[in-house]
Amino acid sequence: MLTLVTYPPAFGQPSGSPFCVKALYLLNLSGLPWQRKDTPDPRNWPKGKLPALWVDDEIIGDSDNIRAWLEEHGARFDEGLSDLDRATSRAFIRMAEEHMYFHIVMDRWGDKAVWPLVRDTYFATIPTFVRKFIARGIRRVLLRGMDAQGLGRLTAGERLERIEPDLEAITHRLWQGPFLFGTKPTAADASVAAMLGAMASTPGGTALSRRVKEDPILVDYMARVADALG
């Protein structure tokens, strides 16, 4: 039996991490039997990150590596897609995971009004009297990295302008069908819907979460993916 090691559910999503949700979606799409193991602490897993897939005495870390392992063992996530669609799918996945994701990070860790809600969810297992101290240090390092990356230097309004073309690209694809590449979900849906779900579920009502939750095309799409793969 495959075991997905993942962060616990949070903010109404199957996991507090969209990459864990992506892995969960891919496992369901693969058709292979699996179970989940929740942990709030990633330190003992590959690269100190989650998700991880536990297979007998082997542990596969990172959602991309999990996808590759599943495909090596028979999963056909993009069956029926043309070479052009496969290339476009890869671009959508990278857009979601290497750009959209960091907007979620800034929404959750960078917004001073949102941060206490996120902190008390992510670090709930740490005693209250030391939680603020420990979380503050982790947050400081993370935001320093976001400043170096560049997105952390933008205002919330500038970030919203920056991500708008991504959201429009997704809705334009969805004019063609219920999923990004036709009538059934593929690997791109597992990544893109997971990121959109994380955006919409960020507590505190940020400008980005409102933008996603008020878009009927995106809302219906997230619901379809959750129904099909959740």
Side-chain angles (χ1 to χ4, degrees):
M1 175 70 76
L2 307 178
T3 300
L4 179 66
V5 185
T6 175
Y7 291 112
F11 313 129
Q13 295 294 298
S15 172
S17 163
F19 289 102
C20 291
V21 176
K22 167 196 170 184
L24 181 155
Y25 282 168
L26 288 175
L27 279 161
N28 285 338
L29 188 56
S30 76
L32 297 173
W34 66 281
Q35 61 188 2
R36 68 182 283 171
K37 172 184 174 64
D38 289 351
T39 177
D41 189 350
R43 289 176 295 177
N44 293 328
W45 303 97
K47 312 293 186 184
K49 298 171 64 178
L50 292 174
L53 188 64
W54 199 344
V55 186
D56 298 325
D57 58 351
E58 181 183 10
I59 297 175
I60 299 98
D62 188 87
S63 62
D64 262 4
N65 293 338
I66 290 171
R67 173 185 175 177
W69 189 93
L70 291 171
E71 290 178 325
E72 289 169 4
H73 291 79
R76 296 291 179 267
F77 297 124
D78 293 342
E79 188 173 17
L81 268 60
S82 67
D83 288 344
L84 178 59
D85 279 346
R86 288 175 187 270
T88 305
S89 171
R90 190 64 176 173
F92 266 80
I93 290 170
R94 282 291 167 258
M95 177 183 75
E97 298 182 7
E98 305 296 341
H99 185 238
M100 292 168 61
Y101 169 69
F102 292 107
H103 287 265
I104 300 166
V105 171
M106 287 305 304
D107 243 21
R108 294 186 175 184
W109 294 73
D111 189 311
K112 292 181 179 179
V114 172
W115 166 242
L117 302 172
V118 172
R119 178 197 63 214
D120 291 342
T121 299
Y122 285 174
F123 301 94
T125 58
I126 299 176
T128 304
F129 67 94
V130 295
R131 182 185 304 160
K132 289 184 180 180
F133 175 77
I134 294 173
R136 186 185 302 120
I138 296 172
R139 179 176 184 250
R140 185 183 301 116
V141 171
L142 185 146
L143 292 180
R144 190 180 299 135
M146 291 305 304
D147 186 73
Q149 189 259 6
L151 203 61
R153 305 184 189 194
L154 304 182
T155 66
E158 288 170 335
R159 292 199 305 272
L160 197 61
E161 291 177 359
R162 181 70 59 88
I163 200 172
E164 181 62 28
D166 293 14
L167 301 178
E168 290 178 355
I170 295 167
T171 57
H172 290 164
R173 285 294 311 187
L174 293 172
W175 291 345
Q176 314 304 314
F179 299 102
L180 290 172
F181 293 93
T183 58
K184 61 182 182 179
T186 64
D189 296 295
S191 291
V192 171
M195 294 299 160
L196 289 172
M199 286 181 182
S201 65
T202 294
T206 67
L208 179 56
S209 69
R210 290 194 299 271
R211 164 65 181 88
V212 175
K213 287 189 293 188
E214 292 171 2
D215 189 316
I217 294 177
L218 298 181
V219 169
D220 289 348
Y221 168 64
M222 288 185 285
R224 284 194 297 274
V225 175
D227 286 344
L229 303 180

